[in-house]
Amino acid sequence: MIEQNRYFTINRARQYGKTTTLSRLKTGLKNKYYVAKISFEGLGETAKSESRFVGMFVDEVKKQLAMTKISEKLLDGWSAPFYDEGLGAIDMSIVKLSRRITELCANSDRDIILLIDEVDEVSNNELFLSFLGMLRKKYLSALDGEDSTFKSVILAGVYDIKNLQNKIRPELEHQYNSPWSVPIRNANRGRRPALRRRRIKMAGSPWNIAADFTVDMSFHADEIEVMLNEYRTDYALDFDTAWFSKQIYAYTSGYPFLVSRMCWLLDIRVSTEPDFGTKQAAWTREGFQRAVKLILKEQNTLFDGLNKKLDSNKKLKALVYQIVVCRENIPFNLNDNLIKLGEMFGWFKECNGMTAISNRIFETIICDKLLQERTTTQIYRAADLEKYQLRTADALNMDSIIERFAEHYKSLYADRTIDFLENEARMIFLTFLKPIINGSGNYYMEAETFDKTRTDIVVDYRGHQYVIEAKVWHGESYEQAGREQLCGYLKRYNLPTGWLISFCFNKSKEKLIGTHTVEMDGKTIRETVL
């Protein structure tokens, strides 16, 4: 793409390897081109002042190019004062910056490539749009041989620059046309020209020249296995790299930060804990479960950002609630702004044409956040009071847990409406389960059963696994299908027993409710109808 003079954006979720990608690009290109890699991180008020923004840009590019073999004379010209003889004053404007870029690129003995990281820091203000508009105009003029500019410009951030309406401040949106207006210079307003606004018809955003960047930056299970094989050899360890790579991928869906973090936790944290003590002991199934527990309890910028975005965007939170709690089948349509936003954040993915949470870790973080808001409920307090009777030092008494849940459910929710319970029933069970496993275990909802009527919950607790299917009763034939589904999971996890909770809302349900045991294909299913 760079060889073809393409301008493009690398828009991926937070901590997805964007900065690393830019650094590797710079390393790979520096022998053939002059490469300036800068960042807009932490600009703050600088991004709101045209003169300060232009000054910052000139300084940062100069610092980068000073480390190349570009001529000092050219660099001196690039950073010389922006004096406008007509105005008789310094004019640090976007227009003057455009002319400096022309002079720099026209006189350089090599093509120059511009890499800009963290563009989200400034992408919600009009000055940035003006900057992009200037780069766009120069690009198009250069194609016609009427200007000189950067051979390639690569922007990196979470938001797709071509769809800035997802980021721009709502109070400014009405000022832009198709979809943006651009600020222009007014040279007739004194010695320090101000910005005024003119509506200009544009074909899309100021960055509609950008080519699509379609590189898959996530890790696949086989790529994780290659890295683990190298690690195993380097430290002379003996563990099942195929199993670990599949498990890490299952929990992370290849999200680069999560993959790296899981491996780091196993290598550094778990291996030094008293219960493990060595790297060899850490790379076991028990060690993996411990690493999952640790990452779910972490406070890091990725999880903090997720929580803050949910709190600040009520519509997006409502959509997440529909997906996670109500298990609604919502078509995966990137023309929907909320789905597009969730996809850009790395939360959503397509699963059989529907919108699903992108990985188990994110789903658990989101579910935990929603459960945390329920810690004052009666069902949560009941479980918290009884938790020591429902577990031992190293295992859960799942039969007792479901028995006690059934009793509390009937006493606390008997008067609730069917519509409420159909959406909330499974979340109520998780609310009851949470204080019992808290501190020693974790859970996730199996993505392969992602629908409104059935949820498979896998609980990891001190080296033991428990599979519970929570579903809405829709007749005996559907119940049998649920048993077969659960039996399949028990075979996959090599477990002898599973639990099936059916929430029945039939008016004549009294003859159905109760608990019984079903034997199927060598597996035992404890079935409770509520």
Side-chain angles (χ1 to χ4, degrees), residues 312-367:
S312 64
N313 193 324
K314 301 303 181 184
K315 290 183 179 180
L316 185 58
K317 186 175 182 179
L319 177 61
V320 168
Y321 183 88
Q322 285 182 280
I323 296 169
V324 173
V325 177
C326 302
R327 316 304 281 180
E328 294 283 356
N329 285 325
I330 298 173
F332 187 76
N333 180 5
L334 292 180
N335 291 320
D336 183 302
N337 284 339
L338 287 177
I339 294 176
K340 176 64 177 177
L341 201 59
E343 189 264 348
M344 284 195 296
F345 291 158
W347 305 351
F348 296 165
K349 67 178 180 180
E350 183 178 5
C351 183
N352 298 322
M354 299 299 160
T355 305
I357 304 300
S358 61
N359 59 67
R360 289 178 184 173
I361 290 177
F362 279 178
E363 181 157 24
T364 306
I365 292 291
I366 291 169
C367 200

Side-chain angles (χ1 to χ4, degrees), residues 317-521:
K317 186 175 182 179
L319 177 61
V320 168
Y321 183 88
Q322 285 182 280
I323 296 169
V324 173
V325 177
C326 302
R327 316 304 281 180
E328 294 283 356
N329 285 325
I330 298 173
F332 187 76
N333 180 5
L334 292 180
N335 291 320
D336 183 302
N337 284 339
L338 287 177
I339 294 176
K340 176 64 177 177
L341 201 59
E343 189 264 348
M344 284 195 296
F345 291 158
W347 305 351
F348 296 165
K349 67 178 180 180
E350 183 178 5
C351 183
N352 298 322
M354 299 299 160
T355 305
I357 304 300
S358 61
N359 59 67
R360 289 178 184 173
I361 290 177
F362 279 178
E363 181 157 24
T364 306
I365 292 291
I366 291 169
C367 200
D368 277 351
K369 176 177 176 58
L370 297 175
L371 289 176
Q372 187 63 31
E373 298 170 358
R374 298 162 181 254
T375 55
T376 59
T377 60
Q378 288 179 286
I379 194 80
Y380 183 94
R381 290 199 297 267
D384 195 38
L385 288 172
E386 299 179 13
K387 60 188 176 185
Y388 296 112
Q389 287 76 49
L390 302 175
R391 69 190 189 197
T392 64
D394 61 355
L396 298 174
N397 188 336
M398 192 58 69
D399 286 331
S400 295
I401 288 173
I402 293 176
E403 179 184 345
R404 295 302 298 148
F405 168 72
E407 292 183 15
H408 289 297
Y409 176 85
K410 286 184 285 187
S411 66
L412 294 174
Y413 297 96
D415 60 342
R416 297 300 182 96
T417 66
I418 292 176
D419 288 341
F420 170 82
L421 291 174
E422 280 193 335
N423 287 331
E424 289 281 330
R426 285 154 295 193
M427 200 67 173
I428 293 170
F429 174 70
L430 286 175
T431 303
F432 185 81
L433 183 65
K434 182 65 176 175
I436 300 171
I437 67 172
N438 199 30
S440 300
N442 53 270
Y443 67 93
Y444 65 87
M445 288 173 280
E446 181 56 62
E448 291 184 19
T449 61
F450 196 93
D451 64 43
K452 184 178 175 65
T453 57
R454 185 175 67 243
T455 305
D456 281 335
I457 302 164
V458 181
V459 179
D460 292 323
Y461 186 87
R462 294 190 176 276
H464 299 281
Q465 283 191 314
Y466 308 84
V467 179
I468 308 108
E469 181 169 315
K471 60 186 291 298
V472 176
W473 174 275
H474 283 293
E476 179 57 35
S477 61
Y478 191 82
E479 197 76 359
Q480 179 63 22
R483 297 183 192 113
E484 294 173 358
Q485 176 79 26
L486 179 56
C487 187
Y489 276 110
L490 294 176
K491 291 178 180 179
R492 195 174 89 182
Y493 287 102
N494 195 28
L495 297 172
T497 305
W499 289 264
L500 177 61
I501 304 174
S502 295
F503 297 92
C504 182
F505 304 112
N506 292 357
K507 292 182 179 179
S508 57
K509 68 179 182 179
E510 293 303 322
K511 61 182 180 180
L512 300 172
I513 61 174
T515 299
H516 60 278
T517 300
V518 176
E519 300 293 335
M520 180 178 289
D521 292 341

